[in-house]
Amino acid sequence: MTDANTGKSAADELQTTDANVVGPTMPVRNPVAQGPVNPPAHTVDGFVEAFLRELNFGQGVLLSRSTVNDQYLALARTVQQYLVAGWLETGARRRQGDRKIIGYLSAEYLLGRQLDNALMATTLGEIAEEAMTQCGLDLARLRAQEIEPGLGNGGLGRLAACFVDSLATLDVPCIGYGIRYEYGIFRQTFVDDRQAEVPDSWLSLGSPWEFPHPERQVRVAFGGRTETTTDEQGRERTTWIPAWDVLGIPYHYMVPGYRNGSVNTLRLWSAKATQAFDLQIFNSGDYAEAVRSQTFAENISKVLYPEDSTPQGKELRLQQQYFFVACSLHDFIENTLPRDFDLRRLPERIIFQLNDTHPVIGIPELMRILVDLKGFEWDEAWDITRECFAYTCHTLLPEALEVWPVELLGRLLPRHLEIIYRINDNFLDEVREAYPGDADRVRRMSIIAEGPQRAVRMAYLATIGGSRVNGVAELQSQLLREKVLPDFSELWPDKFTNITNGVTPRRFLHQANPLLSTLITEAIGPSWVTDLEQLRGLEPYADDAGFREQFQAVKQANKERLYRELRARDGLELPRHAMLDVMVKRLHEYKRQTLKLLHIVSLYDDLISGDVSPADMVSRTFVFGAKAAPGYYMAKEIIYLINSVGRTINEDKRIEGALSVAFPANYNVTLAEKVVPAADLSEQISLAGKEASGTGNMKFALNGALTIGTDDGANVEIRALVGDDNFFLFGLTEPEAEQLRADGYDPKAFYRSDEKLRRTLDLLGSGIFTGGDASASAPLVQNLLHDDPFMALADFRSYLDAQTRVDEAYRDSDAWTRSAILNVARTGFFSSDRSMRDYLDRVWLA
Ligand code: NBG
């Protein structure tokens, strides 16, 4: 094992680095042993044979005595056999070449189910289906057995999963680095309409998709102090003398490209104690104390922080961040590069992409490796380091930008803090030179924020220490330059760029929507799956009545598939023919689920007041999916009220089923794959200037839902592409919202001046939804009336008007379908393949 802290290998420990790979120790005489063995035959018989081998020899059971879990595990391992040869071959090819590798550093990967993806990538779907049938098994049931690895919160983690998919499909060398959380995002349940969280024990039934490599463990140090001495050449040398350490064990996952034989690696780190337990203490009888340090160390990768767009300034979180970044940098430098590699050329071989600020501690870590361990001069190390990192910023909320108290960072990573100070000193000298006499600017741009508590601004460190900074949609990139990092973009205008997010068309169109996928392929051929701009070829079909009919039939079938799923999964009964109006995303005030709720309550008010009869209303089924961070009080109140309103409406016979609300618990990637293809209307209604991009918005448009949305995030680009006629725009623009705030926003004024709003809010607050208890809705209602930080009341009228336009449009089902087809045809831009090409052009190979 080598030590990430000292770089020295301990002779008495396991031999672990790639440089220590031994291979055969005598001549290889059997030709089969020369290369990877062939995968099983790509036939039903070949598959059956391999499956039974896995079941018998891998699981140790007979088919006749097997459980569903045995069958699933054997099936997963069988499908893997077809992928592994490509994986080994890709690895060998990558090692021979000297192409630059993308080191994608992300604290989250929201992967979704692996079996489905592997079947798709290997073209094994039909073979596996038939093979299982011949064994008397139902493939769908086995697929459903898989618990998805929920190693992320929402958009940011899912984006990382889409990106690694696209890189493999483009055959670009990439290693995805992250954390193998033992518990991913919590499983959400509802108890009395309120969210309750249950741990997500996704590993409990086995994890066939991972390849653990304990022999490649890396030691990561924490705490302690530093010591500076002068060496024989008179140079200052700093040594870090840490106080404690943990081991990082890599688990490898295959990331298959789409039917191109190329398979990249996702390397997730799991923390393990350096010493399992203290035998002396154990022998003395204090068992709990004997394993205390083990528990402490292993907590590092125990559980994902369920925070989304709000940072958790907790010590354990910083430990997680440094842990996976230190493991990853060490892994790349010591195990992936050739042994004698000249580190001055490091930027030719690697670019570490920082997925938000979570991995930014990698910048001082690389400086430490180069200066302290490899003996580089500071300036040279700094030039190398800056070329090796690039930073993506995923937010516009100032409170979501991570800062670490100096005290905490110094306690946990004393050497890194020193390095950060030095980076800052040098940088501020540069600022003083560029802007003589501008002390205020120097203070503004310092990595160290002075008050109220001295803290390290990680976004600044990333901007200074990286070669490029990008936002994730045009509008956000512009606001990033103008509002979040204005001084930096003034100093280095060329450093900033935009790369609009994308989603993988494989999982979110081809796999999730097989009926639409087939229809598209019949119309324009199959290559759109890896070249999504080809969807443009569908445009003429929007005017083809026969095609529209087929398209409608697909949508209806997808709705029914969703309703079957929701009946089985959540016991929900939903009407077959209603507009499916969907809002799925994390619960956050800025995303404004409340505005959606106000719309629903206003329609309900129309009905029960007799203003509109149920027969005259366009019937709608509202689907919500949303987890709230467990500590986010207001978000949880909103969940409670959505459930309360939903139940009241669903049970009210007077409205004759004109409205219904479904809020299935535990929205995740697996459920998204059923919800997205079924939707008619996609709700993207954040306050302008708050949603960095959104990626759900892209998935819905690609699957033929029309968007009702504000001018925010990637909505702006969706609207520009699909055209104003095929998008329902409403609400304040970002400058208008800013102006309104500057003028002193008063939600009460809107309440007073709009009768419909008044009735709606009064109804929501009346207690009729909460068992007669008006106080139960007060936290939200009062917040809206007195504060309304995201201006739901200001946008209410405009939203209602837009929803009226939606109703009108929906009544003309032919015209609606035409718009839906145009949405599909015109949103090929939002493929993550395109995003990856943009990163290659503008960041990684720029
Ligand atoms: C989220 C944004 C979304 C965006 C995703 C992916 C964070 C910090 N940011 O708007 O809120 O689509 O990132 O870029 O989770």
Side-chain angles (χ1 to χ4, degrees):
M1 175 176 61
T2 55
D3 190 313
N5 178 36
T6 63
K8 295 204 183 81
S9 76
D12 55 335
E13 302 266 5
L14 293 166
Q15 302 264 300
T16 64
T17 63
D18 257 18
N20 287 322
V21 166
V22 289
T25 52
M26 289 186 289
V28 176
R29 287 189 301 177
N30 189 319
V32 176
Q34 298 285 358
V37 298
N38 289 325
H42 212 93
T43 61
V44 173
D45 286 350
F47 196 96
V48 168
E49 158 99 26
F51 170 71
L52 291 173
R53 267 180 199 284
E54 287 291 353
L55 196 60
N56 296 165
F57 303 157
Q59 287 299 110
V61 295
L62 288 169
L63 178 58
S64 58
R65 298 275 308 149
S66 57
T67 62
V68 178
N69 200 53
D70 288 327
Q71 295 157 9
Y72 161 70
L73 292 175
L75 174 61
R77 289 286 188 205
T78 306
V79 177
Q80 266 172 26
Q81 290 193 23
Y82 291 83
L83 284 175
V84 166
W87 194 26
L88 298 176
E89 191 270 325
T90 308
R93 200 153 43 88
R94 304 266 196 259
R95 273 191 295 279
Q96 270 158 20
D98 55 3
R99 285 174 74 186
K100 190 164 172 176
I101 297 179
I102 315 308
Y104 201 77
L105 293 175
S106 178
E108 302 188 10
Y109 291 90
L110 201 44
L111 294 170
R113 283 189 180 151
Q114 297 297 286
L115 176 59
D116 298 330
N117 188 54
L119 284 172
M120 176 174 55
T122 49
T123 359
L124 280 169
E126 284 170 19
I127 288 177
E129 175 116 50
E130 177 57 23
M132 290 303 99
T133 308
Q134 292 190 10
C135 294
L137 301 173
D138 175 10
L139 178 63
R141 178 152 184 231
L142 301 191
R143 286 182 151 183
Q145 179 71 9
E146 179 174 351
I147 307 174
E148 68 170 72
L151 310 184
N153 274 289
L156 176 138
R158 182 55 234 178
L159 187 79
C162 285
F163 281 5
V164 293
D165 174 272
S166 283
L167 287 170
T169 297
L170 294 170
D171 193 27
V172 173
C174 166
I175 305 172
Y177 287 111
I179 301 176
R180 178 184 176 273
Y181 300 103
E182 195 178 327
Y183 295 90
I185 184 70
F186 63 85
R187 196 156 56 75
Q188 179 190 51
T189 61
F190 296 130
V191 177
D192 296 334
D193 292 341
R194 292 187 176 274
Q195 170 175 298
E197 301 95 23
V198 181
D200 159 56
S201 47
W202 69 288
L203 294 166
S204 59
L205 290 174
S207 48
W209 299 99
E210 58 187 22
F211 294 78
H213 282 282
E215 79 290 355
R216 291 180 62 150
Q217 61 195 9
V218 175
R219 193 184 286 265
V220 179
F222 290 95
R225 60 192 171 81
T226 64
E227 232 171 58
T228 301
T229 51
T230 310
D231 68 11
E232 303 90 72
Q233 284 97 48
R235 290 190 309 188
E236 285 208 334
R237 286 276 162 241
T238 303
T239 321
W240 177 19
I241 302 141
W244 55 281
D245 52 17
V246 298
L247 299 176
I249 311 287
Y251 285 68
H252 297 174
Y253 291 72
M254 289 187 274
V255 183
Y258 181 72
R259 300 182 185 174
N260 64 350
S262 160
V263 183
N264 280 336
T265 299
L266 182 63
R267 185 162 293 150
L268 304 184
W269 298 96
S270 176
K272 197 174 157 232
T274 42
Q275 223 196 346
F277 56 88
D278 188 314
L279 196 58
Q280 264 166 18
I281 302 181
F282 184 84
N283 288 340
S284 76
D286 189 347
Y287 306 129
E289 180 57 25
V291 296
R292 203 184 55 82
S293 74
Q294 181 194 20
T295 313
F296 178 76
E298 294 175 7
N299 271 345
I300 291 183
S301 58
K302 182 69 80 188
V303 45
L304 170 86
Y305 274 91
E307 236 63 35
D308 180 84
S309 298
T310 39
Q312 248 309 336
K314 294 273 166 62
E315 182 162 351
L316 180 62
R317 172 101 174 180
L318 183 57
Q319 289 174 13
Q320 291 186 334
Q321 296 182 351
Y322 179 63
F323 166 72
F324 97 89
V325 168
C327 286
S328 306
L329 262 52
H330 180 85
D331 170 78
F332 186 78
I333 292 171
E334 303 299 339
N335 300 348
T336 307
L337 288 174
R339 173 163 255 183
D340 51 3
F341 189 82
D342 176 358
L343 289 174
R344 281 174 302 187
R345 293 176 41 222
L346 195 58
E348 293 168 28
R349 292 305 303 281
I350 187 79
I351 174 90
F352 289 110
Q353 187 66 35
L354 302 166
N355 196 26
D356 223 66
T357 49
H358 317 142
V360 170
I361 196 71
I363 292 170
E365 172 68 358
L366 184 56
M367 286 301 288
R368 186 183 73 84
I369 294 172
L370 293 174
V371 174
D372 295 358
L373 306 184
K374 306 286 182 183
F376 278 76
E377 292 299 334
W378 178 274
D379 289 343
E380 193 177 16
W382 182 235
D383 289 341
I384 296 169
T385 298
R386 279 165 71 133
E387 287 303 306
C388 285
F389 289 94
Y391 163 52
T392 306
C393 175
H394 293 264
T395 192
L396 283 167
L397 309 177
E399 68 272 22
L401 293 172
E402 274 186 307
V403 293
W404 288 109
V406 163
E407 180 279 321
L408 167 59
L409 210 146
R411 181 154 46 77
L412 209 58
L413 300 167
R415 178 58 182 145
H416 296 76
L417 183 61
E418 288 176 4
I419 292 173
I420 292 169
Y421 273 133
R422 182 150 170 203
I423 293 172
N424 198 38
D425 285 346
N426 294 350
F427 168 68
L428 294 180
D429 284 345
E430 221 181 291
V431 176
R432 283 187 201 98
E433 204 170 302
Y435 303 95
D438 194 344
D440 193 46
R441 186 181 297 261
V442 171
R443 187 189 48 74
R444 286 200 310 268
M445 295 182 83
S446 171
I447 297 174
I448 311 295
E450 290 300 335
Q453 188 184 22
R454 301 194 79 209
V456 181
R457 300 192 261 223
M458 299 308 269
Y460 290 13
L461 178 56
T463 304
I464 296 163
S467 55
R468 285 281 189 285
V469 179
N470 77 282
V472 291
E474 291 286 353
L475 175 64
Q476 183 237 358
S477 292
Q478 178 205 328
L479 295 172
L480 186 63
R481 282 189 300 258
E482 291 172 1
K483 304 215 156 145
V484 183
L485 300 168
D487 294 320
F488 293 90
S489 76
E490 191 183 322
L491 182 62
W492 295 312
D494 296 339
K495 203 180 227 190
F496 287 77
T497 186
N498 168 250
I499 298 175
T500 299
N501 281 169
V503 301
T504 171
R506 268 75 62 187
R507 184 178 286 269
F508 289 108
L509 184 49
H510 186 46
Q511 177 195 302
N513 199 342
L515 298 176
L516 183 57
S517 169
T518 305
L519 188 63
I520 295 172
T521 298
E522 279 165 13
I524 61 168
S527 30
W528 59 270
V529 179
T530 49
D531 180 9
L532 207 60
E533 285 286 2
Q534 287 192 21
L535 291 178
R536 282 272 173 196
L538 287 176
E539 276 203 31
Y541 289 88
D543 293 317
D544 174 336
F547 189 84
R548 282 202 300 270
E549 211 172 292
Q550 288 177 294
F551 190 93
Q552 264 176 20
V554 165
K555 191 53 90 183
Q556 183 61 30
N558 287 337
K559 284 187 193 177
E560 289 176 18
R561 179 180 70 155
L562 174 66
Y563 298 153
R564 278 197 303 279
E565 176 73 15
L566 294 181
R567 188 178 307 127
R569 183 186 185 273
D570 306 271
L572 297 169
E573 288 298 336
L574 297 168
R576 278 189 71 215
H577 294 285
M579 180 204 301
L580 196 66
D581 178 343
V582 182
M583 182 160 191
V584 287
K585 47 186 80 254
R586 280 298 287 258
L587 203 311
H588 224 296
E589 287 169 280
Y590 83 78
K591 294 180 187 280
R592 300 199 295 191
Q593 280 90 352
T594 8
L595 186 54
K596 179 75 254 166
L597 189 63
L598 291 177
H599 172 230
I600 296 172
V601 172
S602 83
L603 292 175
Y604 183 60
D605 173 58
D606 287 343
L607 291 169
I608 58 173
S609 66
D611 288 356
V612 180
S613 77
D616 289 341
M617 184 168 275
V618 174
S619 20
R620 294 199 194 208
T621 296
F622 303 97
V623 172
F624 286 92
K627 291 182 184 180
Y632 188 169
Y633 170 74
M634 193 52 74
K636 290 182 124 175
E637 288 301 307
I638 295 169
I639 285 182
Y640 165 68
L641 279 181
I642 295 172
N643 277 325
S644 313
V645 168
R647 208 168 14 72
T648 310
I649 291 182
N650 293 346
E651 287 169 1
D652 190 336
K653 297 280 179 292
R654 290 174 297 173
I655 66 169
E656 297 167 25
L659 304 175
S660 36
V661 180
F663 191 169
N666 203 41
Y667 178 69
N668 58 9
V669 176
T670 305
L671 185 57
E673 289 169 20
K674 296 265 165 47
V675 169
V676 170
D680 293 308
L681 187 66
S682 157
E683 299 274 352
Q684 308 300 337
I685 60 177
S686 50
L687 173 63
K690 301 297 173 191
E691 188 69 271
S693 163
T695 44
N697 48 3
M698 303 169 183
K699 294 168 196 163
F700 282 103
L702 271 169
N703 279 275
L706 273 58
T707 306
I708 182 163
T710 47
D711 236 330
D712 200 17
N715 293 355
V716 178
E717 288 153 81
I718 294 177
R719 185 166 67 91
L721 282 163
V722 303
D724 285 349
D725 297 345
N726 305 303
F727 187 107
F728 301 97
L729 176 69
F730 77 96
L732 298 164
T733 61
E734 189 275 335
E736 286 165 354
E738 281 299 286
Q739 190 58 51
L740 182 56
R741 190 171 318 279
D743 295 345
Y745 174 52
D746 174 16
K748 263 267 172 58
F750 288 86
Y751 173 81
R752 278 192 295 264
S753 67
D754 186 333
E755 200 217 321
K756 184 68 188 166
L757 174 57
R758 204 158 60 238
R759 275 170 56 175
T760 301
L761 262 180
D762 289 351
L763 189 59
L764 182 60
S766 69
I768 70 153
F769 301 112
T770 46
D773 176 9
S775 73
S777 49
L780 178 63
V781 173
Q782 292 308 312
N783 176 274
L784 288 175
L785 281 173
H786 299 293
D787 191 10
D788 189 18
F790 299 99
M791 300 182 167
L793 303 200
D795 272 346
F796 175 79
R797 176 46 50 192
S798 154
Y799 182 53
L800 235 55
D801 292 345
Q803 289 288 9
T804 307
R805 298 202 303 275
V806 170
D807 279 343
E808 283 159 13
Y810 193 76
R811 285 178 198 276
D812 182 348
S813 91
D814 234 23
W816 181 278
T817 306
R818 188 177 174 280
S819 277
I821 296 169
L822 290 177
N823 265 268
V824 180
R826 294 175 179 173
T827 45
F829 174 77
F830 297 105
S831 167
S832 45
D833 300 346
R834 188 271 314 146
S835 304
M836 292 299 85
R837 284 198 208 92
D838 286 351
Y839 273 93
L840 287 164
D841 289 349
R842 298 175 199 167
V843 178
W844 298 332
L845 305 180

